[in-house]
């Protein structure tokens, strides 16, 4: 897969790791244009909202919006055409086991709660690039396969329960969060943007994205911090403040907990990648 890199101070490269039964790739949030026919079944997971044009099994492109925490499945031999001006961080799991055909029907944009924590675990593996226990790999891949089977066997609407939280309303919330990442963001403030009570908003948001609003805010803070660490010369303390953290220690604690590495390690990785270009 060829990914066009965005214009920024330093390149952000894709990461790849082969584990027993699968090949893992973590693509950065960048513009892209791709046409590919995978020879093996693959799962894709969007860590952040993505918008663009795509087609599966045909050349008839249509607009898409994949929300944060949504999953896609493509069986082997299905043509994929997709492009986006902004892209978004994206995980690809391509199964290498010849008997791993998970289902016959392609799908995209499905929010499956049980897949979210697994995808985040695989992302942390790719960021750390350390050896992984084969038993952990087997367990994680098994949970992703179960998510595909769940989609195949579900009745219409059971896996994609957007209901009240439409794509337009989600976009309003996303914009509110992005505009306030350097300050305090409360659930009550986000609910007010849609004229809702905090309780109703929290339930609707979790139903649409698989996680509560608080979790989404943390993910966006860390996404901005990772971008600034990789592409700017700001100090880690300045970056922590720019992402709404009270201290560098708080940023470090949350990044270690969610991603398995610290801001200092991430900055060193970024500098090494820069020197290799």
């Amino acid at each position: 897969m060829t990914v066009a890199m965005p214009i920024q101070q330093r390149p952000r490269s894709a990461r790849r790791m082969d584990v027993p039964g699968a090949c893992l790739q973590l693509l950065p949030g960048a513009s892209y244009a791709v046409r590919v026919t995978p020879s093996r079944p693959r799962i894709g997971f969007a860590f952040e909202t993505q918008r663009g044009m795509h087609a599966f099994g045909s050349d008839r492109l249509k607009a898409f919006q994949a929300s944060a925490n949504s999953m896609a499945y493509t069986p082997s031999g299905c043509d994929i055409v997709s492009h986006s001006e902004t892209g978004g961080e994206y995980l690809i799991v391509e199964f290498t086991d010849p008997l791993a055909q998970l289902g016959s029907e392609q799908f995209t944009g499905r929010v499956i709660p049980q897949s979210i924590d697994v995808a985040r675990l695989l992302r942390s593996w790719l960021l750390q690039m350390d050896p992984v226990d084969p038993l952990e790999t087997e367990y994680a891949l098994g949970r992703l396969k179960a998510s595909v089977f769940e989609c195949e066997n579900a009745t219409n609407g059971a896996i994609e329960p957007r209901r009240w939280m439409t794509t337009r309303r989600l976009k309003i919330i996303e914009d509110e969060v992005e505009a306030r990442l350097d300050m305090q963001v409360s659930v009550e403030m986000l609910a007010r943007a849609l004229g809702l009570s905090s309780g109703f908003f929290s339930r609707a948001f979790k139903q649409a994205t698989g996680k509560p609003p608080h979790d989404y805010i943390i993910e966006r803070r860390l996404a901005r911090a990772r971008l600034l660490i990789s592409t700017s010369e700001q100090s880690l303390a300045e970056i922590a403040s720019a992402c709404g953290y009270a201290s560098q220690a708080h940023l470090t604690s949350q990044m270690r907990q969610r991603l398995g590495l610290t801001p200092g390690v991430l900055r060193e990785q970024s500098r090494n990648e820069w020197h290799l270009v």
Side-chain angles (χ1 to χ4, degrees), residues 44 51 70 78 86 111 128 136 145 163 195 208 242 269 272-273:
R51 300 173 180 86
S70 64
C78 178
T86 57
V111 174
Q128 296 171 62
E136 286 189 63
K145 292 174 184 177
R163 298 185 186 176
Q269 287 180 351
N272 290 338
E273 289 173 358

Side-chain angles (χ1 to χ4, degrees), residues 51-165:
R51 300 173 180 86
M53 302 290 291
H54 67 192
F56 295 89
S58 77
D59 288 327
R60 188 172 181 181
L61 291 168
K62 62 179 180 180
F64 77 88
Q65 175 171 303
S67 68
N69 298 332
S70 64
M71 194 172 90
Y73 169 68
T74 307
S76 59
C78 178
D79 297 332
I80 303 172
V81 180
S82 183
H83 61 81
S84 170
E85 293 184 0
T86 57
E89 189 173 38
Y90 197 75
L91 172 72
I92 294 176
V93 180
E94 188 164 282
F95 292 89
T96 55
D97 181 350
L99 301 179
Q101 189 75 312
L102 310 182
S104 57
E105 297 297 326
Q106 182 275 332
F107 65 77
T108 187
R110 302 290 182 89
V111 174
I112 309 171
Q114 75 174 34
S115 71
I116 299 172
D117 289 337
V118 181
R120 291 179 180 179
L121 174 64
L122 299 186
R123 177 179 64 181
S124 72
W125 292 353
L126 284 155
L127 291 173
Q128 296 171 62
M129 295 301 290
D130 291 330
V132 181
D133 186 331
L135 287 178
E136 286 189 63
T137 302
E138 183 180 39
Y139 176 69
L141 296 181
R143 290 184 65 188
L144 284 183
K145 292 174 184 177
S147 297
V148 175
F149 290 131
E150 183 179 344
C151 275
E152 282 241 311
N153 297 325
T155 57
N156 290 338
I159 302 298
E160 200 173 8
R162 291 195 177 276
R163 298 185 186 176
W164 196 90
M165 189 62 69

Side-chain angles (χ1 to χ4, degrees), residues 16 23 115 121 175 186-187 233 255:
R16 177 189 172 109
C23 172
S115 71
L121 174 64
D175 290 345
S186 68
V187 173
E233 296 297 335
M255 186 170 286

